[in-house]
Structure formats: C-alpha cells, structure tokens
Amino acid sequence: MAVIRKVEIRNFRSIRSLDWRPTEGVNCLIGAGDAGKSSVLDAIDYCLSARRSLAIGDSDFHNLSVENDISITLVLGRLDDNLKNYETYGDFLSGMRAADGSIEDEPGHGLETVLRLNLSVAGDLEPKWRLISKRAEDKGLDRGLNWGDWIALSPTRLGPWSENNLAWRRGSVLNRLSEEKPDASKALSNAARDARKNFGTEADRQLGDALAVVTRTENELGVPIGAAAKALLDTHSVSTSGGTIALHNELGVPLRGLGTGSTRLLIAGLQRQVADKTSILLVDEVEHGLEPHRILRLIGSFGAKTNPPPQQVFATSHSPVVLRELGSEQLFILRKSADGQHLPLPVPAEAQGTLRAFPGAFLAPSVLICEGATEVGFVRGFDQFCVAHGRVSLQAAGVAIVDCGGGHADRPYERAKALTALGYRVAVFRDDDVSPSAALIAEAAQAGCSTFTWDDG
C-alpha cells in the first residue's frame, strides 16, 4: 500500500515552512512543547483523510496571515496499480529520486513513480484538494483522487475520537477488516431491545471474520473485553447506517466505554491487521492513557521491531519509555531554525547509547554531561542545597543529567557533540586528572558546549 515519501507544509499554524522525508516505518516526533509536532500530524490528516469539507479558521494560518495560503503537499510512493493507472492519473504521475527526494516531471528509469497530493486553503477558508504536476498544469488539467482511492489511503488516527473506529462507520478500521457489510435495517424494525438481541445472531453471520480478528487481537494485546467481541446494535445511535453497528463485550456493553489506553491498544492492533489495505497510522502522544508495560505492547503493535516495517506510523511522544524502546532511526527532533523553518532532525546512530541509558536527556532543553559518579554526586548534592534554599531544582528547570560512567576523558565530548548537533543546550562537567583530546574540546566549544572542571590534576 502507498506510503508518504515527503511532507511539505507551508503557513500552517506555527509552521511557516517544513520539508520532511519520513521513513517507511515508525516516525516519532519529539521536542519541546508547542514545537508543532501535533500540527504535523494534523497536516497529514487534513490532506490525506477522505473528507468533503474541513473546518479551518484564521488561527490555522501562520501568524494569522490569511493572505498567505496554507499549503500541505504529500508525495505518495509505493503506489498500487489503481494509483498508477494511466487512464486515471497518467498526467499526474511524477518520478522521485531516492537519493535526494527531488521530483522529475515524468516517471523514468531509476525513479520511483509518485503522486503529489496537495491541500490548499486561501483567505476564503475553502479547502481545495488536488493532484499536482507540471505536465498536468501545462495541459490545464485539474483533478483530485477518486473517492474510492482516497478512502483506501485515509490513515487511521489514535486521537481524541479514536472510539469512532470501534463501530462500522465509513472509513473506520473495522470496515477494513473484511469485505463483509452489515445490514441492520431488519433488526431495527423491531423494538430496540429485541432488535439488539436479534441482530446479535445476524452479526455473527454477517461479520464473523471481522469479529474473529477483533477477538484474536484483544487476546494478544490483553484488552479486557471478555471471552469474545460481539457486534450489536448501538442504542446510542438512531441511524440505520454508519455507527449503528458497534463492537460490544460479551455482556453487551459498548466498547466505546473502554478506557483510553485499552481503546488505543485495540484500535492499533486492528490497524496492524489491515496494514496491507491502509498502511498509515497517526498517533497523538503514544503514551497517553497507558502504563509502561502497555506502551511496549502498543509500540509492538506498530511493528517497530519488524523488518520490513508492516506500516508507516507518524507519532508524537514525551515519554522516556517510548524513546528507550524505539531506535534512533525512528526518532526525529522537531526544531525551529533561526530563519523560521521547522526541521525534523534525525537522531544519529552514535546517540543510540545515550538514548538507551538516558532517554530523558532527549526530552529536556538542557543537558549536563558528567564524566563520572563523582561529578554526578556533586551535582546532586548541589541540587539538594539549592532546593533547600528555595531555588528550583535542576530537573524542574529543564536540565537532564547524563552519567558517562568515568574511565574515558573523551566520552563526555563525544556525547556532547551528538546532542549539540540536535539543538540541545549542552555542558560538560569533568575532572582534570586525564585531559581529553584538545581537538574534541575545541569542536565542542565551537558548537556552543560549555565545560566545567575541577582544578588541574
């Protein structure tokens, strides 16, 4: 199924400009609050989700500048046959170079065939979705995706309204589990209570395959819904179409009443089951509503440890548990450059050791790298002294402490080099019985890293 090869955002909320080439697997954005992480997920959702209208206001324009259009472009690769159909999309197909992400007007040898889907919103607040290519523009052609292709591409999102995926609604993950289509009209002709009972039997026949997948998934992830899931009429709804038929537990209680964490776990597990049909998952705050051991299950359901990755995931997180579980290649730190451009910076492989041992360092604005236990002990004591005298603690002030374990004078500067390159405010605290490499010290100082030392020797 298609994946997003490139994300281009212009003039959307806090983001003036962002260009990002995500991986095919897990892409977890971390960074300071209000850095724009959730806005990136919203941009992908707004552009790719099948919808005929969109609620956009002046506050969605960067700095309220409604004279500058919002523009969100997604470059879609790994296209299936429907999306590469020349009769339908031939004039809109382009070629992308894997090395640098540059786009050629036409597909060709050594290029991946891609489609570029754009959402633009002008000052009149009317959204417009369209496919873009220079070749089509020269011919005066203007069109979007076919509705069926758009529905197939729509991502599943774990966010404020995740429970919508626990009913057979248009675009919900349940509708993608199988080709079965429930018909509740006969059951709804009876009294509400009898209808629920009667339709339970009908649902076993109409949705048996999907219910079997739900039951298997909830057992694997430990979601507490009982022996088997049921599809019963949802009395909360009076519609005879979308949302009338929803998942219930064995006692007939709607699963929309599950806790936040259980709902997210179940939907993520079901999304994994349909990754071959719709391969993009959006996750706001991975850790939301979950204890650490259930966070690990959720990340496992993403396929974070599977190669090749089964689906493309865009997520945000502020959890050390998430950072420790993911690999450096799955993490991107969202920074804002001096010229106002947002930069998702990939965490380099050489930072993996620090990431595993001190994930909290990647969630703080400032990092103090201590050479060994003596320096850590001194800082802890100094911190206690300050707190006892009415000062804010180092941690509350946004400082993370990293212990390099002693034994190697260069190690603190090697870690400092990786962290300063990612935009962190870094300092090294070391003793001076063995001098580190002068070149490393100079390089760290050039990058803005301060050094605190004991006296010589």
Side-chain angles (χ1 to χ4, degrees):
M1 196 61 193
V3 295
I4 298 171
R5 294 298 189 200
K6 191 174 182 181
V7 180
E8 300 172 356
I9 303 174
R10 303 288 184 271
N11 301 314
F12 181 58
R13 296 182 184 165
S14 65
I15 301 172
R16 183 182 65 79
S17 176
L18 177 144
D19 292 277
W20 181 25
R21 293 177 64 199
T23 70
E24 288 192 5
V26 175
N27 301 273
C28 185
L29 290 169
I30 61 176
D34 300 319
K37 301 184 295 296
S38 294
S39 293
V40 175
L41 265 61
D42 284 341
I44 295 171
D45 191 11
Y46 288 179
C47 187
L48 199 55
S49 290
R51 45 165 59 94
R52 300 190 189 278
S53 62
L54 185 64
I56 289 283
D58 288 0
S59 60
D60 289 308
F61 288 78
H62 181 63
N63 290 339
L64 297 177
S65 299
V66 295
E67 64 274 10
N68 296 318
D69 293 1
I70 293 171
S71 177
I72 301 164
T73 303
L74 302 180
V75 179
L76 304 174
R78 210 169 73 191
L79 305 178
D80 61 21
D81 291 341
N82 283 345
L83 296 174
K84 288 193 289 188
N85 186 308
Y86 266 78
E87 289 185 7
T88 308
Y89 300 119
D91 288 306
F92 296 89
L93 294 171
S94 304
M96 189 184 81
R97 296 190 184 281
D100 58 6
S102 60
I103 302 293
E104 299 290 336
D105 288 343
E106 297 192 29
H109 180 68
L111 304 175
E112 181 180 11
T113 301
V114 298
L115 280 172
R116 287 183 287 170
L117 178 63
N118 174 263
L119 165 65
S120 61
V121 185
D124 60 5
L125 305 184
E126 287 295 326
K128 183 179 181 181
W129 290 269
R130 63 191 181 97
L131 295 169
I132 55 175
S133 82
K134 187 176 185 306
R135 193 165 69 259
E137 184 180 337
D138 291 343
K139 293 182 178 181
L141 301 176
D142 187 6
R143 66 158 299 163
L145 289 167
N146 284 343
W147 186 249
D149 293 329
W150 211 4
I151 290 176
L153 285 169
S154 290
T156 298
R157 184 162 187 173
L158 298 187
W161 299 281
S162 296
E163 66 273 9
N164 288 343
N165 281 288
L166 297 180
W168 273 264
R169 300 174 184 272
R170 187 185 71 191
S172 74
V173 69
L174 286 177
N175 263 334
R176 294 166 173 164
L177 286 179
S178 70
E179 297 301 319
E180 302 160 311
K181 299 301 177 187
D183 179 10
S185 59
K186 182 184 297 185
L188 284 174
S189 65
N190 301 318
R193 185 173 297 147
D194 290 339
R196 294 181 75 228
K197 188 181 301 181
N198 293 341
F199 186 70
T201 304
E202 291 291 308
D204 288 342
R205 179 177 60 81
Q206 296 179 10
L207 300 168
D209 292 346
L211 289 170
V213 175
V214 172
T215 299
R216 184 171 69 250
T217 301
E218 62 92 4
N219 286 332
E220 290 173 354
L221 294 175
V223 179
I225 68 172
K230 294 178 179 290
L232 300 176
L233 294 182
D234 193 343
T235 54
H236 179 71
S237 171
V238 296
S239 170
T240 59
S241 55
T244 302
I245 303 164
L247 284 174
H248 294 65
N249 70 11
E250 59 184 341
L251 299 177
V253 179
L255 294 194
R256 68 169 183 272
L258 283 173
T260 300
S262 294
T263 298
R264 289 162 69 89
L265 263 179
L266 181 56
I267 294 170
L270 295 176
Q271 166 61 26
R272 175 72 179 273
Q273 301 293 329
V274 300
D276 59 330
K277 300 176 184 176
T278 176
S279 57
I280 298 173
L281 176 65
L282 307 177
V283 188
D284 298 288
E285 299 293 347
V286 174
E287 63 276 9
H288 183 54
L290 293 168
E291 308 94 320
H293 71 280
R294 299 180 94 197
I295 293 175
L296 301 187
R297 284 197 171 194
L298 182 64
I299 291 173
S301 74
F302 294 167
K305 308 292 185 181
T306 305
N307 192 24
Q311 60 185 336
Q312 189 174 36
V313 180
F314 294 89
T316 65
S317 181
H318 292 98
S319 168
V321 176
V322 174
L323 270 62
R324 187 180 288 116
E325 189 67 11
L326 295 178
S328 59
E329 73 283 358
Q330 297 170 319
L331 293 168
F332 296 83
I333 300 167
L334 193 57
R335 297 289 190 202
K336 190 174 181 179
S337 65
D339 63 359
Q341 184 176 12
H342 276 70
L343 304 170
L345 303 174
V347 176
E350 55 266 28
Q352 186 72 57
T354 307
L355 187 64
R356 287 281 185 264
F358 303 97
F362 292 81
L363 299 171
S366 303
V367 184
L368 180 59
I369 301 177
C370 294
E371 184 176 359
T374 304
E375 288 72 33
V376 171
F378 180 89
V379 172
R380 296 293 187 202
F382 180 71
D383 196 24
Q384 291 177 9
F385 175 84
C386 289
V387 171
H389 287 76
R391 300 287 187 92
V392 174
S393 71
L394 286 172
Q395 189 172 2
V399 179
I401 298 173
V402 171
D403 181 1
C404 284
H408 200 300
D410 283 351
R411 187 178 297 133
Y413 288 99
E414 290 166 350
R415 290 190 169 180
K417 180 180 175 182
L419 288 167
T420 51
L422 293 171
Y424 292 95
R425 177 172 174 255
V426 183
V428 169
F429 180 26
R430 63 176 178 82
D431 60 29
D432 206 26
D433 53 352
V434 178
S435 295
S437 162
L440 267 179
I441 296 176
E443 190 175 354
Q446 180 71 23
C449 174
S450 304
T451 295
F452 302 99
T453 69
W454 304 103
D455 289 342
D456 290 349

